Amino acid sequence: MPPAVRFGVNYTPSQGWFHHWLDFDLDSVRADLDSIAALGLDHIRVFPLWPYFQPNRTLIRLRAVEQLLALADAAAERGLDIGVDGLQGHLSSFDFLPAWTATWHRRNLFTDPDVVEGEAAYLRTLAAALADRPTFLGMTIGNEVNQFAAGPHPDPDPVTPEQAGRWIARLLAACAEGAPGTPHLHACYDATWYQDDQPFTPEHAARLGDLTAVHSWVFNGTAQRHGPTGTATEHHAAYLVELSKAWADDPHRPVWLQEVGAPAPLIPAAHAAAFTEATVANALDCPDLWGVTWWCSHDVSRDLADFPELEYGLGLLTNDRRPKPAADTLSRIVRERPPGPPAPRTTALAVDTTPGRSVCAPGGAVFEAFARLTAQGARPTTVLASRADDRDHLAARGITEVVTPAQVTE
């Protein structure tokens, strides 16, 4: 039987947000972790800020690495495993790039050989430091690094899909050099699946690394189009999990729902618990789901300026560590999780991105057909149109029927 689905949270420190690395307070971290563990979760995803850990290309601050290890050990004491994202990179609308990549030292994050080797050294160092911790889940190269590669970023680092693939492979290799035998992956925001000119592709996401990561945010046009209780909104995370499988070569490649949250005002605060319940329940109906990691643990303090309004209230817990209704809901789901894996999804929607990946985005033919099938009571998955006649591939996934978007009617 497949291992049980993991439940965790993206750890946002209650004191100082991710700037807590500048004034690291282990007692405060321990109190945060106590409040997370009390929900019954089993892991956290952690974000060292890249400029704080590697302020110079040849200087990786050992004190910062020691603080990361102290956090990992404190988590282990509370029964929490830890996954670590290396290149931060981008978090909650802010970019965190070291000075040796910017302005007078402006160099491409993905193609400059010195920058890439500096990134590799950093990731290898973090992985090696954590390698002997039995609670270490592995490295993610970075958080949504593909947002640096194209618009709407105001200052993108141009890269071709071929170069992006080589960059991912090089940095995954660096993680494996530091922590061999541990699963490592990379993570992109949903432009990978939805944006026609995004150089980080679905093939990269579904074929490189040991797991596929998907990040589900319904402020991408989904909730605007379908409302807070629409089928497409409540199944958006499940849709991304199943969409990713179209490009996977392994018919049972694990998929990590690595980020998902309830963004106000599109998901009103009074509806956050119901949205959490529906989103997680629908994701759990996806075969080969590795885990669900909610964004995020604690609210951002109102003492911190310039965040987009929605970022302040995304926590399961308040800034003073009190659980909110969505936290109680997730905690109950963890206790009442289904005893076994879901049945295969036997109906597959054929995905043809020849017109562009935007067919998979909100409003696109694939997206809307998936939502209609779901509303009609089906449990759809996806398959590339080029594989729709591959009987061995379909059989390996348990697919017995393939339909095109045009065949799906209201």
Side-chain angles (χ1 to χ4, degrees), residues 133-367:
R133 265 59 177 185
T135 55
F136 177 44
L137 294 172
M139 296 292 301
T140 301
I141 288 175
N143 183 57
E144 300 186 351
V145 289
N146 63 318
Q147 65 93 30
F148 289 108
H153 194 279
D155 183 25
D157 290 43
V159 61
T160 67
E162 293 74 20
Q163 290 169 328
R166 289 195 293 271
W167 181 82
I168 294 168
R170 174 69 188 96
L171 296 190
L172 287 172
C175 295
E177 291 161 8
T182 301
H184 305 294
L185 66 153
H186 65 104
C188 295
Y189 84 108
D190 60 19
T192 285
W193 314 102
Y194 294 163
Q195 187 171 318
D196 292 337
D197 65 347
Q198 168 60 233
F200 284 76
T201 68
E203 290 88 350
H204 295 148
R207 298 174 188 174
L208 299 179
D210 294 296
L211 301 88
T212 299
V214 295
H215 292 189
S216 174
W217 290 104
V218 297
F219 54 58
N220 63 358
T222 300
Q224 292 93 327
R225 185 180 183 89
H226 292 274
T229 61
T231 298
T233 303
E234 293 186 342
H235 287 259
H236 183 258
Y239 169 67
L240 280 175
V241 171
E242 293 302 324
L243 181 66
S244 76
K245 297 175 183 179
W247 285 271
D249 290 330
D250 177 355
H252 297 290
R253 178 175 166 91
V255 183
W256 182 358
L257 180 53
Q258 196 179 47
E259 281 187 23
V260 60
L266 291 166
I267 306 299
H271 185 65
F275 173 82
T276 302
E277 175 124 31
T279 294
V280 175
N282 294 328
L284 290 175
D285 193 39
C286 296
D288 303 308
L289 181 70
W290 179 89
V292 177
T293 309
W294 201 260
W295 188 282
C296 54
S297 65
H298 298 80
D299 285 344
V300 177
S301 170
R302 290 284 176 178
D303 293 338
L304 296 175
D306 301 326
F307 285 82
E309 181 60 28
L310 70 88
E311 297 286 349
Y312 286 101
L314 286 171
L316 291 172
L317 301 133
T318 63
N319 189 240
D320 57 358
R321 306 188 182 102
R322 289 180 290 108
K324 294 154 68 174
D328 296 333
T329 296
L330 187 60
S331 182
R332 175 175 50 77
I333 292 171
V334 172
R335 295 193 306 272
E336 299 174 356
R337 70 182 75 188
R345 293 185 171 222
T346 58
T347 299
L349 188 65
V351 177
D352 181 0
T353 56
T354 302
R357 276 172 274 174
S358 54
V359 299
C360 299
V366 173
F367 184 101

Side-chain angles (χ1 to χ4, degrees), residues 46 48-50 84-89 122-123 126 139-143:
V46 175
L49 289 189
W50 186 16
V84 176
D85 277 43
L87 301 177
Q88 269 56 254
Y122 171 55
L123 292 171
L126 293 188
M139 296 292 301
T140 301
I141 288 175
N143 183 57

